[in-house]
């Protein structure tokens, strides 16, 4: 694909990545769980308050560990939104689990906590809230429902690094939480992720599953005198070069988040008049959510043709894009999962949302140009 003049995303490099990779190379320590991985774990635990964090190849891998940890059996049901990335569902389907798709809230596009209880059956094992755009789900309600029905909660916080709910880091509230460091996220390592284990009872098994089903982590700590095959697992840990890259990003995580928040706020102010005119609606962030400016999106009213808006951005060489095709309407979603009800909000919003370019370092001039295109086209793209 050819590079766009104003792309949707530009991976941000802090400048220290190659330095730390060279250091890992010099240390001669390239496999997983070396010094950089340990620094990353300590940072994640300090920043989130989680009992234990483990770097993984991806958020997808972290979700797969979660499904193994929760011992998902064929036919077990997992409640999740349909408006999410495929990995949220895939990780559980790999264990034979059945995603049960529940509708989202019209304001945050997050799992509607008021609909969860009605979707619970005797087969329900877990709830997987997804913090869309780094804006928290209503976690107090979700945790209370889970407790009442003895369900586990896995937060898909892929987009939620550095974001909070009532002062608590996303990913640190449920029994388990997962982060992504994919290059499209805020803090990156190309491909990468982490599992946060907030229930201390799950820590030892999480280490075992991540290390090919062996107690190798305990062996390295000197807790056992040989390591053996303990349970079903796989290789989910990244090498040290990835962790070295990630460490450079962690060091700058506050600055990256601040910069993105500034750009996010600028869009928000510039688009207020268009919202007042009724040609779009801006993101809604509940007052107890501190988001991380992962994404800036707008929702068009039904009378505006989204494709015409997207075409106009393309004509101007600007990378504005739509987002998820709801999982319940996808071929694999229909084969492996089921929708709980009509998912009216999901269906409607998925067809009307546009994400605008946002990255660390996007300039005010670029944002002014993007908003000008949006203004012009929304004024002419009304369906007759
Ligand atoms: C990005 C993303 C993932 C997958 O992350 P990877 O690190 O690419 O595996 C999963 N869930 C959500 C909600 C995401 O945004």
């Amino acid at each position: 694909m050819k590079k766009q003049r104003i792309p949707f995303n530009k991976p941000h490099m802090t400048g220290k990545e190659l330095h730390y990779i060279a250091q890992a190379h010099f240390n001669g320590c390239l496999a997983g769980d070396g010094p950089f991985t340990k620094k990353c774990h300590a940072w994640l635990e300090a920043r989130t308050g989680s009992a234990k964090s483990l770097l993984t190849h991806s958020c997808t891998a972290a979700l797969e560990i979660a499904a193994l940890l929760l011992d998902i059996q064929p036919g077990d049901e997992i409640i999740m939104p349909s408006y999410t990335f495929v990995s949220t569902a895939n990780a559980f389907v790999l264990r034979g689990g059945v995603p049960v798709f529940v509708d989202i809230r019209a304001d945050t596009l997050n799992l509607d906590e008021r609909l969860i209880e009605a979707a619970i059956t005797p087969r329900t094992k877990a709830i997987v809230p997804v913090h869309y755009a780094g804006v928290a789900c209503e976690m107090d309600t979700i945790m209370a429902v889970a407790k009442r029905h003895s369900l586990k909660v896995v937060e898909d916080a892929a987009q939620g690094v550095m974001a909070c709910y009532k002062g608590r880091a996303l990913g640190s509230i449920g029994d388990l939480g997962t982060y992504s460091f994919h290059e499209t996220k805020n803090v990156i390592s190309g491909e990468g992720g982490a599992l946060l284990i907030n229930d201390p009872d799950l820590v030892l098994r999480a280490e075992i599953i991540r290390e090919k089903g062996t107690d190798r982590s305990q062996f390295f700590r000197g807790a056992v005198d040989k390591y053996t095959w303990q349970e079903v697992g796989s290789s989910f840990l990244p090498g040290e070069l990835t962790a070295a890259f990630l460490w450079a990003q962690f060091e700058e995580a506050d600055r990256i988040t601040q910069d993105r928040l500034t750009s996010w706020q600028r869009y928000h102010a510039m688009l207020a008049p268009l919202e007042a005119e009724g040609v779009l609606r801006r993101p809604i962030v509940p007052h107890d959510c501190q988001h991380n400016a992962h994404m800036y999106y707008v929702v068009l009213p039904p009378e505006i043709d989204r494709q015409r808006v997207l075409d106009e951005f393309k004509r101007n060489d600007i990378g504005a894009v739509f987002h998820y095709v709801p999982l319940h309407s996808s071929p694999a979603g229909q084969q492996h999962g089921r929708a709980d009800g009509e998912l009216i909000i999901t269906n409607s919003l998925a067809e009307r949302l546009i994400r605008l370019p946002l990255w660390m370092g996007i300039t005010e001039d670029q944002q002014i140009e993007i908003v000008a295109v949006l203004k012009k086209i929304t004024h002419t793209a009304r369906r007759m």
Side-chain angles (χ1 to χ4, degrees):
M1 228 168 80
K2 114 177 189 333
K3 275 228 174 354
Q4 273 175 312
R5 192 171 53 84
I6 303 182
F8 173 67
N9 179 50
K10 262 192 201 171
H12 169 71
M13 308 294 166
T14 69
K16 285 278 204 71
E17 287 84 355
L18 291 179
H19 172 71
Y20 290 140
I21 285 173
Q23 211 170 306
H25 176 257
F26 182 76
N27 290 345
C29 182
L30 298 177
D33 283 341
F36 280 106
T37 303
K38 291 202 170 80
K39 278 158 91 94
C40 289
H41 287 170
W43 187 92
L44 280 168
E45 286 151 23
R47 296 302 292 245
T48 65
S50 174
K52 178 73 193 154
S53 73
L54 292 170
L55 292 192
T56 55
H57 291 308
S58 60
C59 181
T60 303
L63 288 161
E64 288 176 17
I65 299 177
L68 283 161
L69 262 177
L70 300 189
D71 203 19
I72 297 300
Q73 297 296 315
D76 286 348
E77 296 180 352
I78 301 92
I79 290 172
M80 63 180 68
S82 170
Y83 195 66
T84 182
F85 190 61
V86 294
S87 297
T88 318
N90 243 332
F92 295 93
V93 170
L94 275 170
R95 314 306 322 154
V98 178
V100 173
F101 301 116
V102 167
D103 212 355
I104 51 174
R105 285 166 49 147
D107 56 355
T108 56
L109 281 68
N110 281 333
L111 185 63
D112 190 333
E113 68 280 359
R114 295 161 301 186
L115 304 178
I116 294 172
E117 211 143 24
I120 294 172
T121 75
R123 301 280 345 228
T124 308
K125 269 285 182 65
I127 306 170
V128 186
V130 178
H131 305 296
Y132 188 67
V135 175
C137 296
E138 182 34 51
M139 288 307 293
D140 279 351
T141 307
I142 292 171
M143 294 308 289
V145 170
K147 195 165 177 206
R148 242 186 337 269
H149 296 272
S150 305
L151 305 175
K152 295 288 186 188
V153 174
V154 180
E155 297 175 73
D156 182 340
Q159 303 172 14
V161 177
M162 304 292 284
C164 293
Y165 168 80
K166 299 187 179 175
R168 299 170 69 189
L170 302 193
S172 74
I173 303 163
D175 299 278
L176 299 164
T178 62
Y179 282 159
S180 173
F181 307 121
H182 186 263
E183 77 163 30
T184 52
K185 303 302 202 279
N186 291 16
V187 173
I188 60 174
S189 60
E191 302 281 351
L195 178 69
L196 301 185
I197 305 119
N198 308 314
D199 175 354
D201 291 344
L202 295 175
V203 170
L204 271 187
R205 283 190 57 230
E207 286 180 342
I208 287 168
I209 292 167
R210 174 172 168 272
E211 264 286 16
K212 300 94 183 164
T214 73
D215 52 0
R216 187 165 167 175
S217 299
Q218 285 159 271
F219 174 70
F220 283 144
R221 282 198 296 269
V224 292
D225 59 7
K226 58 180 182 302
Y227 74 84
T228 54
W229 188 20
Q230 300 281 324
E231 67 168 293
V232 174
S234 189
S235 181
F236 290 114
L237 68 168
E240 272 288 280
L241 299 185
T242 299
F245 189 107
L246 186 60
W247 178 247
Q249 296 267 321
F250 279 179
E251 282 189 328
E252 294 281 306
D254 288 305
R255 213 165 63 80
I256 293 169
T257 309
Q258 268 317 313
D259 185 275
R260 294 184 71 108
L261 282 166
T262 302
S263 303
W264 194 100
Q265 284 299 345
R266 207 182 281 139
Y267 270 137
H268 210 55
M270 290 194 294
L271 290 168
L274 293 188
E275 184 175 80
E277 281 175 44
V279 296
L280 55 81
R281 96 144 167 79
R282 299 175 300 161
I284 296 166
V285 181
H287 73 276
D288 40 17
C289 301
Q290 175 58 56
H291 72 101
N292 59 359
H294 172 61
M295 188 193 300
Y296 198 93
Y297 65 82
V298 298
V299 179
L300 302 173
E303 65 272 18
I304 290 183
D305 183 347
R306 178 175 69 173
Q307 195 51 51
R308 280 191 62 186
V309 178
L310 290 171
D311 289 347
E312 185 64 15
F313 274 120
K314 200 167 174 194
R315 229 173 48 76
N316 284 274
D317 214 9
I318 294 171
V321 292
F322 59 86
H323 210 182
Y324 306 125
V325 173
L327 298 184
H328 75 280
S329 64
S330 65
Q334 289 180 349
Q335 188 186 342
H336 299 290
R338 69 176 165 80
D340 186 71
E342 294 285 319
L343 309 195
I344 291 167
I345 309 286
T346 301
N347 289 331
S348 166
L349 289 177
E351 289 182 351
R352 297 192 282 125
L353 181 139
I354 294 181
R355 294 178 291 159
L356 303 182
L358 179 63
W359 64 85
M360 163 127 183
I362 190 171
T363 66
E364 184 166 4
D365 284 348
Q366 287 171 319
Q367 289 187 285
I368 288 170
E369 192 185 332
I370 291 158
V371 170
V373 170
L374 199 50
K375 182 170 181 181
K376 178 164 155 268
I377 187 66
T378 50
H379 285 163
T380 56
R382 281 179 191 275
R383 291 198 177 93
M384 289 304 137

